Amino acid sequence: MATAPDARQDDRAAPRFPSPLYDLMYGHIHASVLRAVVLHGIPDLLADGPLTAGELAARSGTRVEPLRRVLRLLAARGLFREFPAPPASPESRVSPASPVSHESDDEQRGESVFGLTESGAALRSDVPGSQRAPVLMFTDEMFHRSAAALPGTLRSGEPGFDAAFGVPFFDYLADAPVKSGLFDAAMTSRPGTSNADIAESCPFPASGTVVDVGGGRGGLLREVLVRFPGLTGVLFDRPGTVAGHLLDDEALTGRWRAEDGDFFTAVPRGGDVYLLKNVLHDWPDEDCVRILGVLRAAVEPGTRLLVVDAVLPEDGSAHPAFAVDIIMLMLVRGRERTAGEFRDLLARSGFRLDHVVPTPSLSSVVVAEAV
């Protein structure tokens, strides 16, 4: 019995690591820290290898101590690596070439060396699949103000974005070219939607024309045309979006064209396969039926439609798209859907769902046919 108090004391002294509750509660802090280092270009500064916090601060115009503390948190989250600083030589401490520091001794103590992990390297702006644009978009005021308005959304059912900005999301983008450009760039490279994975998973014919409706800047269409040299393509989206297309490639010369317009009104005719990537999840059911109805009016029976969107599990098991579904709730009137919900939308619009193809990315391919 004499050991019980000591055992209880040991229990009280044991470290308690954050629970899922704490991860959720501090989530906005992690997002803000991530945004700060990306805006200051820290990942790009580490492209050639690790640097001390002092070197990073001098090159980015930041202060050593706050930067070190921010990077320490991101190192704990697996995006950076932190190393002990090597001892400075007497010469380096008094080198005339060294910049004069206006930091206090307090701010310079405990300096560490930081490098990028494999995950953190995706934050660089100069790497294939860079996640810089998605980070800046998902941490933008468009998102955090919409998220802050969620309590009102639960009462009204209206997107928090409308309450925060006074206009619907896509109307706002139409009048905000900088934010619209950020949105388009982020959609081209956002995590979990690898165009290569999707193109490889989609059942494309050996020849014919692929019409990418609401195809953004054409990242997916470009991947499809590169992989399937017998196909030609049509990129269809808003004028400002298709103007920034990614299809200028010698290998694709003569195999594509871009058209602008409104998919609520009309879409290009004559395609053999139609793509809708990350379109239907932006809209409520009635608008989806309108989009699909316009598309059905443009195609012949038997034409294949490939809907690329997250497909939620019917049984409610864990899936990263549940978080994306909340983004839809915050920003627009859309939603992520189950296979059964896609089947119903398609049936109401003159299409028949054939099957669903999972991909290694967040999205699946809902394969349908015009009836």
Side-chain angles (χ1 to χ4, degrees), residues 24-365:
L24 290 169
M25 193 163 59
Y26 294 148
H28 66 290
I29 297 172
H30 298 140
S32 298
V33 163
L34 182 60
R35 180 178 181 84
V37 299
V38 169
L39 280 174
H40 282 292
I42 303 301
D44 285 341
L45 292 175
L46 293 171
D48 295 327
L51 294 170
T52 67
E55 290 168 326
L56 287 168
R59 297 181 191 188
S60 62
T62 58
R63 298 186 73 89
V64 174
E65 181 62 10
L67 179 62
R68 184 185 69 82
R69 290 161 65 181
V70 160
L71 291 175
R72 181 175 60 189
L73 173 60
L74 292 176
R77 303 297 296 188
L79 296 179
F80 292 83
R81 291 190 303 270
E82 183 178 7
F83 312 93
S89 66
E91 292 80 9
S92 68
R93 291 193 190 104
V94 296
S95 169
S98 299
V100 176
S101 173
H102 298 287
E103 305 277 356
S104 68
D105 289 343
D106 240 15
E107 287 179 303
Q108 295 188 61
R109 63 188 165 81
E111 185 177 41
S112 297
V113 177
F114 289 93
L116 289 168
T117 64
E118 184 177 350
S119 296
L123 298 172
R124 288 170 48 191
S125 61
D126 60 345
V127 295
S130 169
Q131 295 304 297
R132 185 179 189 276
V135 164
L136 292 179
M137 185 186 76
F138 286 114
T139 60
D140 187 82
E141 63 167 351
M142 294 186 293
F143 284 77
H144 68 69
R145 287 177 61 186
S146 301
L150 269 172
T153 297
L154 295 184
R155 291 191 299 270
S156 68
E158 297 299 309
F161 186 93
D162 295 26
F165 290 89
V167 294
F169 180 64
F170 289 112
D171 291 352
Y172 174 86
L173 288 183
D175 291 328
V178 173
K179 295 295 178 75
S180 180
L182 176 61
F183 176 80
D184 290 337
M187 289 299 98
T188 299
S189 57
R190 73 187 178 97
T193 57
S194 163
N195 287 325
D197 289 338
I198 292 166
E200 187 175 343
S201 303
C202 284
F204 289 106
S207 62
T209 299
V210 177
V211 181
D212 193 355
V213 176
R217 298 168 65 199
L220 175 56
L221 183 61
R222 183 182 185 283
E223 191 70 38
V224 169
L225 296 180
V226 167
R227 286 175 175 269
F228 299 92
L231 293 176
T232 58
V234 181
L235 176 64
F236 180 78
D237 209 314
R238 298 167 296 162
T241 298
V242 296
H245 67 76
L246 305 172
L247 297 171
D248 279 330
D249 186 316
E250 278 190 32
L252 306 182
T253 300
R255 294 177 51 209
W256 63 272
R257 72 179 192 273
E259 293 188 22
D260 59 64
D262 178 359
F263 52 47
F264 282 108
T265 305
V267 299
R269 293 177 174 270
D272 300 289
V273 179
Y274 282 73
L275 279 172
L276 280 174
K277 179 193 174 189
N278 296 336
V279 171
L280 296 185
H281 78 159
D282 286 335
W283 303 97
D285 288 357
E286 292 307 315
D287 284 336
C288 288
V289 170
R290 286 176 59 202
I291 295 167
L292 291 167
V294 168
L295 203 154
R296 178 62 187 86
V299 305
E300 299 295 327
T303 301
R304 178 166 286 182
L305 170 64
L306 304 177
V307 177
V308 180
D309 256 327
V311 176
L312 297 176
E314 302 275 2
D315 62 2
S317 54
H319 194 287
F322 285 121
V324 182
D325 187 48
I326 301 305
I327 293 174
M328 298 299 103
L329 185 66
M330 288 162 39
L331 296 186
V332 292
R333 289 171 171 78
R335 62 188 304 155
E336 304 302 331
R337 295 177 171 90
T338 65
E341 289 168 331
F342 277 114
R343 181 179 292 106
D344 291 344
L345 285 181
L346 291 162
R348 292 171 59 188
S349 312
F351 291 91
R352 180 182 63 248
L353 188 150
D354 190 287
H355 61 287
V356 176
V357 181
T359 79
S361 75
L362 177 72
S363 301
S364 293
V365 183

